[in-house]
Amino acid sequence: MKIVTIVGARPQFVKAAVVSRALAAHPGVEEVLVHTGQHYDEQMSGVFFSELGMSPPACNLEVGSGTQGAQTGRMLEAIEQVLLEQRPDWVLVFGDTNSTLAGALAAAKLHVRVAHVEAGLRSFNRSMPEEVNRVLTDHASELLFAPTEAAVENLCREGLPPERVHLVGDVMYDAALFYAEVAAQRSDLPARLGLLEVDYILATVHRAENTDNAARLRAIFEGLRRVAREYAVVVPLHPRTRGALARTGEGPKLTEGLLLTDPLGYLDMVSMESHARVIATDSGGVQKEAYFYGVPCVTLREETEWVELVTTGWNRLTPPVSAEGVAEAILEAVGTRGRVGALYGQGNAAERTVAILCDG
């Protein structure tokens, strides 16, 4: 059996790492890893492969950045050529990026079966490109690997055949269990930043709805500056966010008093997350990682696809409409805890996924 795995962004590298490890344990399975180049610089891409112990991609399409349509179109064209050359039995896609959708569409058009890891998630906000990607990918897929009961319910509500849907748990939880010990041994970033004996807040911002809206961006960073009066605030700056701050003409003012870093490698990020008092983010994956490490989270959005984190009290939704609201939500989250439960499986989602895929 030949499987072409499509990845393109940092969270997908993490998910693919644990699934690829499980695939390697199955004799007779050949995996061809294709990197679209959606995240393309060393800090956003290359360092992840080395830290996660992954082999370099068999193919890097080097698509780079661009508008939603242009980027997805270039990916679709390039992936189609790879699939015509490789003639796989399955195409495996992860999550909700443009790489996910392009991989699913290219495969479906060529009548290659598609398997979607992290299927069924819904924010119910179609203005988010990620939501459109999720829905279209799920409806183009033959196998749907759902991480939660809520995801299964979403897929059933949309009329997808139950025999295609499999509740396997979350491969990100597998990764958290596997790499937490590695990070503890190999990352000393909190110490290098002088934070071992300091309570700090970790914040990440990258979604277009926040970076491309000057009022929301200002509310987030002014809110973080207010929090920095009481706690150290560490912000690894995504390239999109750095550019957005520069365009406001107020970048130095909005980030004064904050500890800014370049984007972090996976192990450094795990180390920083696990030692933080609160994580403030607009990332889907970081919301879950906060939960995995027992850290309260403030999500700087109107909605989340990980609804169970809100209902169990680990996460609070805070639309960034004012600096006061952002600061208040973060400060109120310090020291809180949610209800404990097995929300994302038992840490064997990758093995369950691969077993079903190889039987398909």
Side-chain angles (χ1 to χ4, degrees):
M1 175 185 291
K2 180 184 284 190
I3 297 169
V4 166
T5 296
I6 308 290
V7 295
R10 286 162 56 114
Q12 293 170 328
F13 308 152
V14 179
K15 297 164 196 172
V18 291
V19 174
S20 293
R21 191 179 308 113
L23 283 171
H26 276 253
V29 175
E30 178 188 358
E31 183 187 25
V32 178
L33 185 65
V34 176
H35 182 2
T36 64
Q38 181 172 338
H39 283 174
Y40 48 87
D41 65 23
E42 178 65 19
Q43 291 174 319
M44 296 295 290
S45 174
V47 67
F48 266 55
F49 287 95
S50 59
E51 287 189 342
L52 295 168
M54 298 175 71
S55 299
C59 181
N60 190 328
L61 306 180
E62 299 183 344
V63 167
S65 58
T67 64
Q68 295 285 331
Q71 186 185 62
T72 306
R74 291 198 300 271
M75 289 177 185
L76 186 59
E77 181 179 16
I79 293 170
E80 181 180 63
Q81 291 305 308
V82 173
L83 299 184
L84 288 170
E85 293 169 7
Q86 295 291 336
R87 305 183 67 82
D89 299 287
W90 287 96
V91 165
L92 185 62
V93 296
F94 296 82
D96 56 18
T97 70
N98 288 342
S99 299
T100 311
L101 178 60
L105 286 178
K109 292 283 190 180
L110 293 173
H111 308 293
V112 178
R113 292 178 294 178
V114 180
H116 185 201
V117 174
E118 215 175 68
L121 299 181
R122 298 292 183 268
S123 68
F124 302 102
N125 178 1
R126 291 291 182 94
S127 68
M128 293 175 58
E130 296 88 350
E131 183 77 353
V132 175
N133 292 344
R134 293 179 195 124
V135 173
L136 294 177
T137 298
D138 283 339
H139 284 261
S141 298
E142 187 163 327
L143 280 178
L144 297 156
F145 296 115
T148 64
E149 291 279 5
V152 171
E153 292 169 6
N154 290 335
L155 294 168
C156 291
R157 258 196 312 271
E158 292 176 13
L160 287 159
E163 62 271 18
R164 295 186 186 178
V165 180
H166 300 271
L167 177 61
V168 296
D170 193 333
V171 296
M172 290 280 290
Y173 184 45
D174 297 19
L177 294 176
F178 184 85
Y179 289 107
E181 186 175 342
V182 179
Q185 295 172 351
R186 291 175 50 186
S187 173
D188 62 349
L189 184 59
R192 283 188 280 124
L193 294 177
L195 297 171
L196 274 187
E197 306 299 326
V198 175
D199 288 336
Y200 65 87
I201 310 300
L202 179 66
T204 75
V205 183
H206 79 280
R207 287 191 182 270
E209 65 200 72
N210 288 331
T211 60
D212 296 353
N213 183 313
R216 291 170 72 99
L217 189 69
R218 189 174 293 108
I220 290 170
F221 278 89
E222 288 181 352
L224 292 175
R225 288 186 62 212
R226 293 182 184 217
V227 174
R229 298 169 188 168
E230 300 185 40
Y231 296 95
V233 177
V234 183
V235 188
L237 273 184
H238 189 286
R240 175 189 287 163
T241 312
R242 189 180 294 277
L245 286 166
R247 287 193 298 274
T248 67
E250 302 178 275
K253 175 184 175 184
L254 290 174
T255 58
E256 185 179 2
L258 307 180
L259 179 52
L260 306 181
T261 75
D262 289 331
L264 302 181
Y266 182 62
L267 298 181
D268 280 343
M269 189 64 177
V270 167
S271 183
M272 291 296 295
E273 287 171 338
S274 60
H275 289 91
R277 292 300 305 275
V278 174
I279 295 173
T281 187
D282 58 10
S283 161
V286 173
Q287 293 173 49
K288 287 186 298 172
E289 288 170 343
Y291 167 74
F292 298 153
Y293 304 122
V295 178
C297 183
V298 173
T299 294
L300 303 169
R301 289 165 49 188
E302 279 80 5
E303 71 289 302
T304 178
E305 52 276 26
W306 303 105
V307 292
E308 59 283 339
L309 294 177
V310 176
T311 57
T312 56
W314 285 99
N315 190 6
R316 58 191 68 198
L317 291 173
T318 304
V321 295
S322 72
E324 295 86 351
V326 169
E328 181 179 353
I330 294 171
L331 293 172
E332 287 182 351
V334 174
T336 63
R337 288 185 63 81
R339 298 193 303 276
V340 177
L343 299 180
Y344 298 108
Q346 304 299 322
N348 62 348
E351 286 78 8
R352 296 181 67 187
T353 295
V354 168
I356 295 165
L357 186 59
C358 290
D359 288 341

